[in-house]
Amino acid sequence: MIARRRLPAAVAAWAVALGAAALAPRRVRAQPAPLRVALVPFLSPMAMLAAFKPLREHLERELGRPVELYTARSVPALIERMRREPDDLTLVPAHIARLASVDWGFVPLAGTLQRTTAQLLVRDDSALADAQALRGRSVGVLDRLSLPAVIVMTWLQARGLEAERDYRVAPQAAIDSALYALDRGDIDALAVAATQLDIAPAGAPRRVRVLADAGTMPGPVYVARPGLAAADVERLRAALGRYAPDAAAPPTVVNTALRPVTAAELAALDAYLPKLRQQLAR
């Protein structure tokens, strides 16, 4: 009689798995890697991900792959990620899109709003009447590097008011928390893009008055990371261009047709780059 040797359990399991793999249909393929999309923060994280859900679902249908949304805790944190570990697609303020294309090799793919207004808001019952009334007061900004903040602070500087000398800059985490801070009186004024009020959560207070329209600007821009294959860049560009906003909702950064953006359009923001480079160097 020939003795039968029993395989050790681990070896037997490996043999079974190998046999199953050999019998599996060859047409089964690995799930494609998710497309990572990084978003400039201007809402709380949960509100941000909910607001961009229609775009995420659109890109998944267009590209046939999962899409993951990521939002940084601040604009500087997003820029740091772009420089060290860039995602395939990033939504950034237009002046940062220009810097990223000129200095770091990112490719502008699609613009959001053609034009919006940087505004300085106060509470609707505030006694503040002009820029000079802000001396010794606080101005909230979503981030010092955000384009509305840059334009409003430039507007104040043209009227003789220097940040941290004549007024205090008070960074806010998101548009909804900034509106609460203004409503409570924690800050005296708030620098925002006009369309940001349309995207703030419904429960956020809106007892505001426009103290000044400080200037116009383009909305944020989607950029592709350096080194992304040309075919993938064009695929992303085409998919973004086919995004259809909700016609019944007001136009916002989230709810807008995504349009081609030119180097000439972004070059109009070059005046902001020297100071932006200085801030990033610090």
Side-chain angles (χ1 to χ4, degrees), residues 52 55 58-59 89 91 109-113 220-222 236-245 252-261:
F52 280 88
L55 177 67
H58 165 79
L59 290 176
L89 191 63
L91 177 67
L109 292 186
T112 55
L113 298 166
V221 173
Y222 288 94
L236 280 174
R237 195 194 307 274
L240 290 168
R242 287 192 288 268
Y243 179 64
T252 64
V253 169
V254 175
N255 189 56
T256 184
L258 301 176
R259 58 187 179 79
V261 61

Side-chain angles (χ1 to χ4, degrees), residues 41-42 75 140-144 146 149 170-175 178 190-192 196:
F42 54 85
V75 176
V141 299
L142 296 193
D143 194 283
R144 284 176 177 267
S146 69
Q172 306 294 307
I175 183 62
L190 176 62
V192 296
Q196 285 175 332

Side-chain angles (χ1 to χ4, degrees), residues 49-79:
L49 297 180
F52 280 88
K53 181 182 176 183
L55 177 67
R56 175 179 63 78
E57 293 175 342
H58 165 79
L59 290 176
E60 286 179 338
R61 289 192 300 269
E62 287 284 326
L63 301 173
R65 60 189 290 198
V67 174
E68 295 179 354
L69 301 180
Y70 163 84
T71 181
R73 67 181 184 276
S74 65
V75 176
L78 181 65
I79 292 174

